[in-house]
Structure formats: structure tokens, C-alpha cells
Amino acid sequence: MTGPAGHTELTRRARQATPPVPLTWLYAPGDRPSVVRKALAAGADVVIVDLEDSVAPERRAYALAATAELLAEPHPVPIHVRIHSPRDIPALAPLPGLVALRVPKVTHPTDITRIAELAQGLPLYALLENALAVERAYAIAAAHPSVHGIALGEADLRADLGVREDGGLDWPRGRIVVAARAAALPPPVQSVHPDIRDLDALAAGCARGRAMGFLGRAAIHPRQLPVIARAYLPTPDEIAAAEEVVKAAETEEGALALPDGRFVDAAVVEGARRVLTLAARAV
């Protein structure tokens, strides 16, 4: 049965069964509390308070104090903090408003295990920003149960590799998609698109990232959020195809044949259910 938004009962059930999949992750500098507050109201799925690259060294102590004050209470939007140093963690980890830590410049699994000892069970997201980190992507992804995701820090990685064209990062991007899957982690989130005015290039980059296996993208300005969300939501044709697969799987077990003669297996069914979970965001 199709509802007013064009979604069938299968899509509605997917919405009820699983929480929304985050697609938009908005960075805000920790030393600018007013900007962080605006970010929390911008409609992002996750807000990342940055204590690292966007904060000048002389303002990092203030950024940490301001962020701790913000996190003294929970917020409707999940807040992650990209730390500058492990020394930031004791001031942040106990606070009720903190959902996860993003750990920059991870190059070895022991970097993660040390952070995990301080983080009091908080989810950790490892940022891989140089060639050595990319080579160790799976080992980092599987380093500790607290690791909930990995991602590239593409600005630093470009500098480390001497990459001049965007295509030069295709191999590292594919590498972390495979590493995340191998470690049973969610698909990685794309790195930021630095030009906040060129929304066409952002949309094209998101389409390419989606085709490579990424899911969602980090942003540095609220105007980028709807472009990212649109790029990562499934099309009506993709939703219809996924519903056909899931409906068939509800009546048969194992490999099964669709009415058009295609055979699908359990992995295809799992992928179809992921599509319906994403589609449910729009219901």
C-alpha cells in the first residue's frame, strides 16, 4: 500500500524499526560558542565541535572550556567533539551532552587504544590523515570495540601525498570503505568540500562518494546540508527496487528469484533494507 508521500508499508516499517541514519555532519569551531549554537539549529544530523584545525593555538584553552560548558547538558542534536589532544578528554568525557569523540591524525592502532582508556566507553571516530594511516586502515578500524567509524582527513592527506587532482584520492577513499566494511563498521562519511559557494561541485562530489560506498558527508557551512542530504537519499526507482527485494525475502528464504528473473541473495537483501532505512528519513 502506497501512502501520500509515495512510500509503501515496507518503508514505513523500516522507519519504525531503526533510528534515522545520519547523513549530514556539521563542523563548528569550539572557540566560537555562538557559531556552535547556530550549528545546533541548522538541521544537521550531527554537530562536530572542533578543537583542532579550526582553532588557533592560543585559543584552544578557551575552546575547551567553552565546549565543556556547552556539554554540561544534553542537546536534541548529537554532539561529537574533534579533540586536539588526549589531554582534552578528562574535561569532556563525563559530560552528559557529549555523544562521541573524533580523534584526528590517527596513524597506529595504539593511538586508538590509548584514547579508549581515557574515553570512558564513548564512541570513537578515527580520522586518517596521512599515507601511513591509510595503509593501516583496517588495523585502526578494528583496534578497539569503542571505534564506531573511520574517515579520511583529506586536506592533510592531499598535502602528505602531493595530490593535485581529486582523482588522486580515489584509492585512499576506496581503501577506507573496504576497511570499514571489513571491521563491521558503518560506511565512512565523506570529508568536507571546502568551497561553500560551489554547491554544484559539492553535489557532484557527493554522487561520486555515494557510488564509491560512502554514506553521508561532513560540512563546514549550513548551506551545504540540504545538498548532501539530497545526494545520499535513494531515488524513487531505488526505493521501488529495494521494496521488491525485501517483499520477496519475506516470503522466501535463502537465494530467491524476482519476477523479472533476477536472483538475489542475503547480501542483496541486506542492502535493500539499508535503502529502505534511508528512504524512511523522507517519510
Side-chain angles (χ1 to χ4, degrees), residues 29-33 36-37 49 51 59-72 92:
D31 64 336
R32 299 178 65 187
V36 175
R37 294 282 181 184
V49 179
L51 304 180
R59 290 181 60 84
R60 285 197 174 121
Y62 169 70
L64 179 59
T67 300
E69 182 178 351
L70 171 78
L71 297 175
L92 301 173

Side-chain angles (χ1 to χ4, degrees), residues 82-280:
R82 180 165 72 167
I83 60 172
H84 168 64
S85 163
R87 292 189 295 272
D88 298 335
I89 298 175
L92 301 173
L95 299 175
L98 180 62
V99 171
L101 295 174
R102 303 183 79 80
V103 186
K105 297 177 173 61
V106 175
T107 60
H108 195 279
T110 56
D111 297 340
I112 285 293
T113 55
R114 292 184 188 122
I115 295 292
E117 291 172 0
L118 300 171
Q120 302 181 24
L122 282 167
L124 304 177
Y125 290 79
L127 303 180
L128 315 184
E129 304 185 52
N130 60 34
L132 185 57
V134 173
E135 282 295 305
R136 292 172 172 164
Y138 172 73
I140 292 168
H144 194 276
S146 292
V147 178
H148 282 219
I150 59 174
L152 291 179
E154 290 192 359
D156 285 1
L157 183 60
R158 283 176 185 273
D160 187 46
L161 297 177
V163 167
R164 301 183 64 181
E165 299 291 338
D166 190 69
L169 292 180
D170 282 354
W171 189 88
R173 289 167 178 160
R175 168 73 169 158
I176 70 157
V177 169
V178 172
R181 180 63 177 167
L185 297 178
V189 173
Q190 273 189 282
S191 186
V192 299
H193 180 73
D195 188 340
I196 65 173
R197 296 164 299 179
D198 193 346
L199 299 183
D200 289 340
L202 171 63
C206 290
R208 181 167 176 77
R210 184 180 177 213
M212 294 185 72
F214 287 86
L215 183 60
R217 189 163 195 172
I220 55 174
H221 194 281
R223 73 178 62 168
Q224 296 178 317
L225 300 177
V227 178
I228 294 168
R230 282 196 301 270
Y232 272 98
L233 287 174
T235 66
D237 286 347
E238 290 169 337
I239 295 170
E243 288 176 336
E244 183 181 26
V245 170
V246 172
K247 184 177 179 180
E250 289 183 343
T251 58
E252 299 182 40
E253 295 183 359
L256 51 96
L258 299 180
D260 63 5
R262 287 178 295 141
F263 276 84
V264 297
D265 59 13
V268 175
V269 174
E270 180 185 353
R273 291 194 172 111
R274 288 197 299 268
V275 169
L276 296 189
T277 299
L278 282 172

